[in-house]
């Protein structure tokens, strides 16, 4: 089988390409390189530079490479930016997906995996979020992910396409320093950035209804997340006509304060955090029930937060060698 990985030159996409390749699958990367990096695409894996909004280019890539499955990650993913530019997010994430699905169904490609997000749940008021927890996204980013799931399921049903929507919780870590996230928009890299500047990391609010007052999240290692895609791809291939919606998390809550404590301990930077105002729109607690992925895919995360932090730090040091002084 040949899998087209849209967004395969990105942080998560590149890990999926690597995991798929190690599992013996052929891959082709389709990426517009707006945030993706061509150097992340391994030798021997073809790279098609294009947008998923370009239906002709997508269609040509599908036939040129005899694609038999698609893993779709190419999307915008900044929650704050989505509030400022909602129409841009709908165009990139929803219209881009619609055009892609049009080409995929026309070409008769049988399997489709969508990169979705825990952002579809908004502010869940349950300890463990199951796939049945109501989806009430808080920002256009999560709305576009939820609308994307609807598109995938509807197109799948109509065209007999096997589909999987994977709802990622908080992704961190790297398989190797070269594959690390280069963005600084999530907790772990934001703490690294502060420590590198010898400034205290920030805790955005400590008056939440959680054990230590700081927000609780379910962090999952990108290597485990990539393995979940391999498992989903195999499940779709093994049983056509499937329609999977799965949380991809560890089922373990870690608070912001606990994460920052582990980062300072593992990096040797001892600066104590400062508490600042809440960041608008942050839910107090978002932790997955990962039972369905375990039951249906036989997938379970293996790596913990220490692995996420140390591997992400390795990537950070590659780009910020001055941070090693701590
Ligand atoms: C985690 C916690 C912050 C930085 C977002 C998207 C989600 C997904 C992942 C997708 C929050 C706190 C952060 C800092 C802090 N995006 N924090 N100090 O908001 O849970 O999820 O990213 O592609 O859809 O919503 O992740 O890493 O930004 O924040 O206290 O310097 O860390 O307030 O509670 P979040 P995050």
């Amino acid at each position: 089988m040949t899998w087209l990985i849209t967004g395969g030159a990105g942080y998560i996409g590149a890990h999926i390409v690597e995991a798929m390749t190690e599992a013996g699958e052929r891959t082709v990367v389709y990426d517009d390189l707006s945030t993706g990096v061509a150097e992340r695409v391994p030798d021997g894996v073809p790279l098609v530079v294009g947008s998923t909004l370009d239906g002709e280019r997508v269609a040509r890539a599908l036939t040129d490479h005899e694609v038999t499955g698609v893993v779709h990650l190419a999307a915008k993913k900044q929650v704050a930016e989505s509030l400022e530019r909602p129409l841009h997010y709908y165009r990139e994430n929803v219209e881009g997906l619609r055009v892609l699905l049009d080409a995929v169904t026309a070409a008769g490609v049988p399997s489709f995996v969508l990169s979705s997000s825990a952002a579809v749940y908004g502010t869940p008021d349950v300890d463990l979020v199951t796939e049945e927890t109501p989806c009430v996204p808080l920002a256009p980013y999560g709305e576009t992910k939820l609308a994307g799931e609807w598109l995938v399921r509807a197109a799948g049903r109509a065209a007999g396409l096997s589909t999987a929507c994977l709802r990622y919780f908080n992704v961190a870590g790297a398989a190797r320093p070269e594959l690390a996230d280069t963005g600084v928009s999530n907790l772990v890299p934001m703490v690294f950035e502060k420590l590198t500047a010898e400034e205290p990391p920030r805790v955005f609010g400590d008056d939440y209804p959680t054990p230590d007052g700081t927000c609780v999240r379910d962090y999952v290692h990108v290597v485990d997340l990539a393995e979940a895609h391999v498992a989903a791809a195999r499940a779709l291939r093994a049983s056509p006509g499937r329609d999977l919606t799965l949380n991809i998390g560890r089922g373990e809550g870690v608070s912001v304060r606990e994460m920052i404590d582990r980062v300072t301990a593992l990096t040797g930077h001892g600066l104590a955090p400062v508490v600042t105002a809440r960041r608008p729109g942050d839910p107090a607690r978002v932790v997955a029930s990962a039972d369905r992925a375990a039951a249906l895919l036989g997938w379970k995360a293996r790596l913990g937060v220490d692995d996420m932090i140390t591997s992400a730090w390795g990537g950070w040091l590659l780009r910020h060698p001055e941070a090693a002084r701590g």
Side-chain angles (χ1 to χ4, degrees):
M1 250 183 118
T2 299
W3 292 87
L4 186 81
I5 318 288
T6 77
Y11 159 56
I12 296 175
H15 282 89
I16 293 171
V17 170
E18 191 155 289
M20 287 280 207
T21 307
E22 276 169 16
E25 306 284 346
R26 266 197 308 272
T27 57
V28 178
V29 170
Y30 190 92
D31 200 301
D32 68 3
L33 301 181
S34 56
T35 53
V37 180
E39 289 68 36
R40 284 206 185 107
V41 180
D43 289 344
V45 173
L47 166 65
V48 180
V49 179
S51 161
T52 59
L53 286 159
D54 183 346
E56 280 177 25
R57 199 166 186 77
V58 173
R60 207 166 337 115
L62 295 177
T63 48
D64 283 356
H65 296 280
E66 297 177 6
V67 170
T68 47
V70 171
V71 180
H72 177 52
L73 291 102
K76 308 299 291 176
K77 62 170 189 177
Q78 305 292 338
V79 176
E81 186 186 46
S82 80
L83 287 160
E84 288 155 23
R85 304 183 67 197
L87 298 179
H88 181 60
Y89 269 64
Y90 271 87
R91 179 175 153 77
E92 294 285 325
N93 294 5
V94 181
E95 176 61 5
L97 172 56
R98 190 199 65 76
V99 172
L100 173 65
L101 283 168
D102 216 2
V104 164
T105 52
V109 173
S111 301
F112 195 95
V113 180
L114 176 71
S115 156
S116 186
S117 169
V120 298
Y121 297 114
T123 312
D125 62 357
V126 288
D127 260 10
L128 292 181
V129 178
T130 74
E131 291 81 356
E132 308 305 326
T133 300
C135 291
V136 192
L138 290 176
Y141 168 71
E143 292 168 9
T144 65
K145 287 291 168 182
L146 185 56
E149 291 191 5
W150 293 336
L151 283 188
V152 166
R153 287 190 210 108
R157 271 194 300 272
L161 183 67
S162 272
T163 63
C165 297
L166 304 185
R167 295 176 173 165
Y168 310 165
F169 282 65
N170 288 61
V171 185
R176 298 180 272 112
E178 297 75 20
L179 292 188
D181 192 2
T182 52
V184 188
S185 51
N186 292 113
L187 174 63
V188 171
M190 286 168 78
V191 173
F192 289 168
E193 187 171 60
K194 286 290 177 194
L195 295 175
T196 303
E198 292 186 44
E199 290 170 16
R202 292 168 301 166
V203 174
F204 296 152
D206 68 351
D207 57 351
Y208 286 92
T210 59
D212 69 13
T214 70
C215 291
V216 172
R217 295 289 182 271
D218 187 346
Y219 297 89
V220 58
H221 199 297
V222 68
V223 165
D224 282 325
L225 176 76
E227 287 302 329
H229 289 73
V230 174
R234 290 190 165 155
L236 296 187
R237 180 170 50 205
S239 51
R242 291 205 76 175
D243 168 8
L244 301 170
T245 301
L246 301 170
N247 287 342
I248 306 297
R250 287 188 311 134
E252 189 182 311
V254 181
S255 76
V256 169
R257 208 176 262 291
E258 288 167 336
M259 275 306 265
I260 294 177
D261 285 351
R262 291 313 297 153
V263 174
T264 50
L266 291 165
T267 61
H269 283 262
L271 276 168
V274 289
V275 178
T276 66
R278 286 185 178 198
R279 192 173 66 176
D282 274 336
R285 176 185 165 91
V286 188
V287 180
S289 159
D291 292 349
R292 192 190 278 184
L296 298 185
L297 299 184
W299 173 87
K300 204 172 172 335
R302 292 175 299 114
L303 301 166
V305 291
D306 282 10
D307 287 310
M308 298 178 215
I309 293 167
T310 49
S311 62
W313 183 241
W316 183 266
L317 289 179
L318 196 64
R319 281 169 289 111
H320 305 273
E322 74 280 11
R325 66 180 164 243

